[in-house]
Amino acid sequence: MQIIEQTGFGVRSAVIRMVRLSGGPTFLLFPMLHVASPAFYRQMQERMFACDVLVVEGVGGNRAKVITLAYRIAGRVRRSGLVLQSESVKMADYHGTVIRPDMTAKEFGSVWRTLSFGLRVLLYLATPLVGLWIAILGPRRTLGNSLALDDLPTAKEEELTHEQMEEVFLRSRDAALIRSLSELVDAPADGPITVGVVWGARHMRAVVTALHARGYVPRSGDWIMAIPPDWR
């Protein structure tokens, strides 16, 4: 199942609806990108704010900013026509229930220190350089060539996986997200509710797997254009 589609016609994100025949909340998965077009965030926000509950990401503390530094630099390149998610999705305008199961600064600091000292130094040094590279070549050209994502990793992805970094940046945070979603599945409800899961696209693999294990299946999906083609 495609989560992020990348073709010569642009990059699209799939809003995926997952349901369970035996009942329970309906889940809408919103695979987010740190940098995309303003129209993408407007359309995502419109769908998100129609949900009864939103489960959103957001790691606490300054260390976590190393995750998104390159994207934040890219988002400042106004000539690209792309903007930052953090500046475009206005959660203050949402009036439903918001759940934030992501790691606290202390929790992330603990898993961050499991990385070797050399790797931590390399990340601190390399991330701003990657951001500058994206800014020089253009976010559309650089980001638009590396965003395609299915629910299962490709052989090339598995070959290039760095286990320590996967644990710190994905699996440890996935675990917190899945616990929160499981609690929502098990919680008694007065009536049908729709839960929006607003997390980075890479986390949606774990979400789809966990919900499938609880009897959920994808019923529909809407494609939203995230990065239009650049044919200049």
Side-chain angles (χ1 to χ4, degrees), residues 22-37:
S22 60
T26 294
F27 287 92
L28 277 182
L29 312 186
F30 295 93
M32 300 301 288
L33 301 174
H34 292 298
V35 176
S37 71

Side-chain angles (χ1 to χ4, degrees), residues 12-82:
R12 300 193 302 174
S13 176
V15 177
I16 302 166
R17 178 173 172 263
M18 298 193 70
V19 301
R20 187 171 65 172
L21 294 179
S22 60
T26 294
F27 287 92
L28 277 182
L29 312 186
F30 295 93
M32 300 301 288
L33 301 174
H34 292 298
V35 176
S37 71
F40 171 72
Y41 293 122
R42 285 196 300 269
Q43 293 179 65
M44 283 296 216
Q45 181 169 296
E46 180 180 345
R47 288 165 171 77
M48 288 160 46
F49 286 11
C51 296
D52 303 294
V53 177
L54 290 181
V55 182
V56 302
E57 72 175 323
V59 181
N62 291 325
R63 284 191 185 93
K65 291 182 179 180
V66 72
I67 302 173
T68 59
L69 179 57
Y71 296 105
R72 284 185 280 118
I73 293 174
R76 301 298 180 190
V77 185
R78 296 304 179 189
R79 62 182 171 81
S80 71
L82 306 181

Side-chain angles (χ1 to χ4, degrees), residues 124-203:
Y124 277 126
L125 294 176
T127 304
L129 295 178
V130 171
L132 289 174
W133 174 72
I134 293 173
I136 292 170
L137 293 183
R140 289 176 184 267
R141 181 187 300 178
T142 52
L143 299 178
N145 290 329
S146 60
L147 296 175
L149 187 76
D150 292 345
D151 59 329
L152 296 175
T154 65
K156 184 177 181 180
E157 283 182 274
E158 291 181 336
E159 181 183 346
L160 296 176
T161 295
H162 189 289
E163 289 298 324
Q164 276 190 310
M165 291 180 63
E166 287 282 309
E167 183 63 34
V168 170
F169 294 119
L170 280 176
R171 294 175 191 149
S172 57
R173 299 174 62 210
D174 288 344
L177 171 57
I178 298 310
R179 282 194 299 270
S180 179
L181 299 184
S182 296
E183 290 171 0
L184 287 168
V185 171
D186 295 333
D190 295 330
I193 64 168
T194 299
V195 177
V197 184
V198 188
W199 277 58
R202 288 289 302 278
H203 296 280

Side-chain angles (χ1 to χ4, degrees), residues 4 8 13 26 31 104 106 119-121 123 153-154 158-159 213 225:
I4 301 292
S13 176
T26 294
T104 64
K106 183 177 180 180
L119 184 54
R120 279 180 279 160
V121 171
L123 286 170
T154 65
E158 291 181 336
E159 181 183 346
M225 181 63 72

